[in-house]
Structures are given as structure tokens and as C-alpha cells.
Amino acid sequence: MAATLFDKIWDPHVIADLGSGWSLLHCDRVLLHDLSGGRALREVGEAGYAIPHPELAFATPDHAVSTSPGRTAESFPKGGELIAGLRKRAAETGVRLFDLGQDGNGIVHVMGPELGIVLPGTTLVCGDSHTCTNGGLGALAFGIGASELRHVLATQTLPQKKPKRMRIRFEGAAPAGVTPKDMILHAIGRFGTGAGTGYAVEYAGSAVRALSVEGRLTLCNLSIEMGAKMGMVAPDEVTYAWLAGRRFAPKGAAWDAALAHWRSLPSDADAVFEADFLVNMADIAPQITWGTSPEQVLPVTGHVPDPASAADPIRRAAYEAALAYMGLTPGQPIAGTKIDWVFIGSCTNSRIEDLRAAAAVLRGRKVAPHVTAWVVPGSERVKREAEAEGLDAAFTAAGFEWREPGCALCVAANGEAVPPGARCVSTSNRNFVGRQGPGALTHLASPAMAAAAALAGEIADVRQFTA
């Protein structure tokens, strides 16, 4: 029978049918971070279990780590306690830890792919909802809760209910200024934050095939913002070239065998999806969110919506609440809205390609005097590569602060936050109330759009700077 990419990964990983649509899955890889990794390892031990396959678990501190230049684990005291716990438990259990300053350290969903830990056809879990990012390499990756994390560490398995299959096809050439971040924000705005609930989403079409691996990871990163635990892109020659030679990728004969298997994974031409959507790339312009949900998004040339235009009373109330919190007026152009902060970073947009795109907009220009602008590389490896290319100098010359790797202002779990009432254009993935700090006002955008906003001191169309 014809099968989807999802089916071709899910089915071979089923150990047992648990009934009622549930299966016991084998999990090939486990990623751990400082917020939950140390605690999970400790609790497994306290329950009397060993970690049967520590070689399949990989840990790194990222969430509660200060990103200030010259930081140490103790720069943020609460984070220092979590990092100490992760170090201790990793050493006791034999789990590999990529510590601060080491090659391999960084945001968990950046370092996993770049080290070749994430491979096509693998199942991968982590105690973080944005684990779906890793599906950009053709993996079946999803976030799990605390009890599930303990279960995986103790058994290398996890009970899961099989989702339905959805495909979103992006067809056509990307218009000027349109990036993978704009593609996925447009899709969330069009289909809604609940569209992917109960589905594994495959992103396909000519525009997706034209993306780099970094772009595919960005696309999959916001799958959870559409309600889907899993987002995937079929592996192809772009994937294989990107993975070749990476630290944990197969070598020699094992590479040849893996490659033969990976080439069998893409969805069959006649595979059936329970939901199938088409997005014309010509319909997408550079995007910016206006509200407090990723689906509250519009083209940068658009106007803030009037709640009265929403027929659904629940949506109307959500619009009214978002406008009140964000301090916006129905009908006002979103471009020209004054900003205070810009953040380029997070597991969505902190890879080398993202930094290059932002630096290209900034070169030879200066950040508006009233704007505080940070750029936070996604990993130690990205930081070193960017510095070798002179990107750090381009950012600092423009007026950005060049920081150390970590999650930083995405979730504000490390003592760093956007001040109350300050308006921030952010390349992260969530614009929820208080996400970047109590009272912070967040607008999601691509790295290039964030750079344009920093220069203008207000939300601006990046095409004005790149024409």
C-alpha cells in the first residue's frame, strides 16, 4: 500500500499495538536540557531504574543559561543550580553532556541537527514542545511531558496515539523578502492554531524543496503553534549533503546503507493524507504578528483588524483582548508601529543562515538610537562560524549586542526579559502574554524583518532596505 513519510517512520518503530489507536514506540534518540533533564535523570534513578542506553541520550544546558558575554553557569543563580544537577546526573548515568563553551553546546533543537544526532527516519523526543523542529531533517520528532521523559529514559519506549496525516504544499517561487518564517506564519494565520491538532504535518511542494535545511527546520519549528506535535519535511539530496561528515552521522559503509534507507522514506506519489492544503507562494508577503497568538498575523503592508469584523464571538473577544494588551488600534497600519527592542535568536531563527540574512540588511547601517537590539547565536558552533565570517562585527557595528548561545529572550527563563510595556520584534515562535517577560509586547517576524525594524525603530517592510 502507498505510504506517507510519517507512516514509513512510525510503523517500523511500533513495538506493540496497545489498542484504541495507541502504540508502544521505540525512541531512537532523547534530547535533554537544563530545565527538565537533570530532574528526569534523578527521578529515574530514585525509582530504581537504570538508563539502559545512555549513548542514545544527549544533554545540553540552554533554557536557564545567561547569554551575557563572558557568562558562566552561575551568572544566573537559579540556572546554575539546574546546570549543576544536569552535570551531576549526566556524569552518574553516562549520558553525553555538551557543556557551556564546548563544541556542541547550544539550544537543544539547534545542536541536535548540527551534530548529526538527528537523522532521517529516526524517532526523537525531548521535554520541549518545539522538538518538532527536528522534523526538518525527515525525522519523527516531538515534545513530551515530564512523566513521558522518565518513561523513555528508563525503557527507550513511549506509548503514543497515532495521529492523522496532513500535508501542506507550498508551491511557486518565494517573493522578495519572503523567508521560511513568513511561510509558516502565513500558514498559521490562514489555517489557525488548532488546524494541526491530532495530525502529523508534512510540508511539501516546490517551495519547500527549494529551502535549505536551516529553512526546513524553521518551517517545522512552528508546527506546534498550529497545534501539531510533529512537523516533517521529506529528506532529499539537500538533506544528505548537509548531514555528510557531521559528528554523529554514519560513516563509510554505514553511511551508504543509511543513504539507501533514507531514499526510501519520502511519501509515495499516491499516498493518502486525511487533510491536504495548498499554499501559493505568490500570496505570501513578509509577515508580522499583531496580537498575542501566532495566528494573529498579517502582511507588513496590512492593517490591524477590527474585532467587529470577526463573526465568531470567541474570536472577536480574543481580538479585543489582544488589541488591549498590545496597545494597538483597529485599522491602523502595522508598519510604523514604534518598537523598543529587537531579538534575533531562539530555536526558530538562530542558525548561521538566519544570522547571515539579518547581517545583510544591517551592513553599513545603524540601529535606531532608542532600540535595544540583541543577537543570540543558537549554538557554540554557530557562534564560532559567525565570528569566523565577521558577522559578529557586522552586528556590533550596527548597534546590536553580540551574546552567548542560549534560549535568551524567547522564554525569559534565564533572568533576561523584555521590560514591561516595551515592544519587541522577535524571531522566536510565541507571542503569548508575558512570554518574553511580564508585560512585554511581542511581534514575531523573520530575522531580516527584525533587522529592518531595528534600523527603522518601528515595524518596517524589509523590502525597503533590500530593494
Side-chain angles (χ1 to χ4, degrees):
M1 292 179 62
T4 66
L5 166 66
F6 169 81
D7 293 315
K8 293 181 182 184
I9 302 176
W10 176 281
D11 292 348
H13 284 85
V14 172
I15 297 169
D17 183 345
L18 303 179
S20 302
W22 286 80
S23 299
L24 185 66
L25 287 186
H26 181 270
C27 299
D28 297 322
R29 305 281 190 276
V30 183
L31 297 178
L32 303 170
H33 58 77
D34 46 350
L35 286 191
S36 59
R39 183 182 66 184
L41 291 170
R42 172 175 56 79
E43 290 175 347
V44 169
E46 288 174 347
Y49 296 99
I51 307 296
H53 292 288
E55 74 280 6
L56 301 180
F58 303 84
T60 188
D62 60 355
H63 279 64
V65 173
S66 167
T67 64
S68 60
R71 58 94 187 275
T72 67
E74 290 72 34
S75 296
F76 177 55
K78 292 182 179 178
E81 296 173 8
L82 292 170
I83 294 170
L86 183 62
R87 287 170 173 167
K88 182 176 186 294
R89 303 303 172 183
E92 290 173 349
T93 58
V95 168
R96 190 185 301 265
L97 173 69
F98 298 93
D99 213 336
L100 299 182
Q102 295 179 356
D103 179 39
N105 173 250
I107 301 174
V108 69
H109 308 311
V110 176
M111 55 75 74
E114 74 181 11
L115 292 176
I117 294 168
V118 185
L119 298 171
T122 56
T123 52
L124 178 141
V125 296
C126 175
D128 187 279
S129 61
H130 290 103
T131 306
C132 52
T133 306
N134 300 281
L137 283 166
L140 183 58
F142 53 96
I144 56 177
S147 62
E148 292 176 307
L149 186 57
R150 294 193 295 270
H151 191 285
V152 171
L153 288 170
T155 69
Q156 211 64 39
T157 70
L158 189 67
Q160 280 290 295
K161 188 169 186 178
K162 188 173 186 178
K164 296 180 288 186
R165 278 71 90 203
M166 175 188 291
R167 180 171 61 183
I168 301 178
R169 290 172 292 136
F170 292 87
E171 299 289 358
V178 171
T179 71
K181 183 67 162 291
D182 301 297
M183 293 166 65
I184 190 61
L185 284 175
H186 172 88
I188 295 169
R190 176 174 164 183
F191 304 125
T193 52
T197 303
Y199 289 91
V201 179
E202 179 178 344
Y203 302 101
S206 59
V208 174
R209 291 194 297 273
L211 294 178
S212 65
V213 166
E214 288 88 348
R216 298 173 187 191
L217 294 168
T218 294
L219 201 64
C220 290
N221 177 266
L222 274 88
S223 299
I224 190 68
E225 273 67 53
M226 206 187 310
K229 287 175 64 173
M230 307 161 187
M232 311 173 74
V233 174
D236 58 14
E237 296 304 318
V238 173
T239 315
Y240 314 142
W242 193 86
L243 284 171
R246 293 191 181 268
R247 182 169 173 182
F248 292 96
K251 305 291 190 301
W255 171 265
D256 295 335
L259 202 56
H261 171 60
W262 297 344
R263 286 184 168 137
S264 72
L265 292 175
S267 295
D268 297 327
D270 53 347
V272 175
F273 295 82
E274 285 88 348
D276 204 348
F277 298 107
L278 173 64
V279 177
N280 189 331
M281 291 295 293
D283 295 335
I284 307 179
Q287 304 283 296
I288 187 87
T289 60
W290 60 268
T292 55
S293 166
E295 74 176 5
Q296 294 171 341
V297 65
L298 73 169
V300 68
T301 53
H303 293 72
V304 175
D306 188 336
S309 66
D312 176 36
I314 296 177
R315 174 165 290 193
R316 189 182 313 128
Y319 278 19
E320 290 170 348
L323 289 174
Y325 181 80
M326 295 297 291
L328 300 174
T329 303
Q332 76 173 78
I334 191 66
T337 304
K338 184 182 176 182
I339 66 155
D340 308 289
W341 278 66
V342 165
F343 168 56
I344 296 175
S346 86
C347 60
T348 313
N349 282 129
S350 64
R351 297 171 183 83
I352 191 66
E353 181 179 279
D354 301 312
L355 304 192
R356 289 170 182 157
V361 176
L362 294 169
R363 280 196 177 92
R365 300 183 171 109
K366 291 287 186 180
V367 170
H370 68 275
V371 173
T372 300
W374 286 12
V375 56
V376 183
S379 71
E380 187 67 32
R381 185 169 291 196
V382 170
K383 181 175 183 286
R384 295 176 187 180
E385 187 173 359
E387 290 173 348
E389 294 182 15
L391 299 183
D392 60 323
F395 280 110
T396 55
F400 270 76
E401 185 171 342
W402 181 249
R403 312 276 295 186
E404 300 285 349
C407 293
L409 292 174
C410 174
V411 67
N414 63 343
E416 300 164 359
V418 175
R423 191 176 300 276
C424 179
V425 173
S426 174
T427 67
S428 51
N429 40 49
R430 288 181 175 164
N431 54 340
F432 300 162
V433 171
R435 169 77 176 185
Q436 292 195 289
L441 312 176
T442 301
H443 296 270
L444 304 178
S446 72
M449 281 282 287
L455 296 173
E458 59 189 31
I459 293 174
D461 192 335
V462 67
R463 293 171 294 189
Q464 297 174 349
F465 294 91
T466 56

